[in-house]
Amino acid sequence: MKKHFAFVICAALIGAIQAQAEIIELDPITVAESGVWVETLKAQLEAEGNPYAPENNDRTWCRELKDIPHTFVCAAFNTQTINRAFSRISIFAEGMTDWPPGVVYSWNDPSTRYPMLIGPAGHDLRFSDVQKFYRELDAVCAQDKSLCPEAIETTLRSYIETRDVGGNDATIISIGLDERSYKNILSHELIHAQYFQNPKFAEVIRGYWDAHHEDKEWIGFVRSELGQFYDLTNPLVMMNEVAAYSLGQPATHSMMAQRRAEFADELTERADALGVKILQPEWAP
């Protein structure tokens, strides 16, 4: 999950929860093609004149990826659309600073609602974690109706539960296109997807983490960069975020910018040594 560095938001957009929600399923594409796809989608919505129209605030487009097994990428223009669908699941799975994982947080509590709406800038989730969330959601909803899902969460659940992944674990990632760094966010989330779905890529990341995490200076830098947003007690989250912030392209608006090139170079060398190709989106000229 990628987080914002600053919260700038129009109050009129906060909390405009609509009654309808729609996921538009498109044909599968490659990772390389995903870049031009989101560029084109963003341009089309902007050309229509009002990308924040109510019908767009409840509309998400999703596609399966051809070259990362059992992986789905979703995009909406309004980042809050993505967050309304994904934030509670992401925090349940990963936690955040001062927000322990394994908890279904409430949309009705302002202290949790607004951080969930405006905090994350992208999401990466394994289906196994999503299913754990849904089981817990069903249980708490039966006891407390204020915790029950909203329409967009129910629509996402239907989409996820109808994917044919042949009994395998799968990954779903999502981004909002109104983020100025949406290109970097897409690349960032695609790095997460490769970590989840490509065992050799995960081996690269684990090897890099194992080589450095006991170095007090190295881990001190990482913790200082990621500690504002991430659960520092979870090494799986930490190593995954180190990789995604280091390898996400283009290398702008990124945490760990001070040492990003150093981290990226070693990760790339390790990937090359294991014959692992790091997949990245391509963009229109």
Side-chain angles (χ1 to χ4, degrees), residues 59-222:
R59 186 176 294 160
T60 304
W61 289 260
C62 295
R63 312 183 79 146
E64 186 171 4
L65 291 173
K66 296 178 180 179
D67 44 358
I68 305 179
H70 315 303
T71 298
F72 303 85
V73 55
C74 297
F77 188 84
N78 188 347
T79 300
Q80 287 187 40
T81 301
I82 291 298
N83 288 345
R84 284 162 43 210
F86 287 88
S87 278
R88 291 209 296 176
I89 315 174
S90 288
I91 297 170
F92 179 90
E94 296 183 1
M96 285 176 60
T97 304
D98 300 324
W99 294 34
V103 177
V104 177
Y105 292 94
S106 173
W107 284 120
N108 294 325
D109 180 350
S111 70
T112 54
R113 175 182 179 80
Y114 297 122
M116 289 192 294
L117 274 176
I118 67 177
H123 299 270
D124 52 279
L125 289 161
R126 302 204 77 177
F127 277 25
S128 53
D129 289 327
V130 174
Q131 295 300 340
K132 290 176 185 176
F133 170 80
Y134 289 146
R135 288 193 293 270
E136 184 64 17
L137 178 64
D138 290 343
V140 298
C141 174
Q143 301 297 321
D144 182 350
K145 298 305 180 187
S146 71
L147 295 172
C148 291
E150 295 183 341
I152 196 166
E153 293 176 301
T154 301
T155 300
L156 176 64
R157 180 173 186 169
S158 178
Y159 176 79
I160 288 175
E161 291 183 342
T162 55
R163 298 308 91 199
D164 181 7
V165 295
N168 298 287
D169 205 354
T171 293
I172 188 166
I173 64 174
S174 61
I175 67 167
L177 301 178
D178 60 350
E179 288 288 327
R180 66 182 179 126
S181 56
Y182 77 95
K183 294 181 179 181
N184 175 273
I185 295 168
L186 175 63
S187 177
H188 177 108
E189 302 302 347
L190 287 165
I191 295 297
H192 286 320
Q194 291 169 80
Y195 173 85
F196 289 142
Q197 299 301 128
N198 182 344
K200 295 292 288 184
F201 187 84
E203 183 179 342
V204 170
I205 306 309
R206 287 194 298 269
Y208 179 68
W209 176 264
D210 289 345
H212 292 284
H213 79 276
E214 293 184 352
D215 181 320
K216 291 183 178 179
E217 188 275 332
W218 187 92
I219 196 63
F221 171 77
V222 168

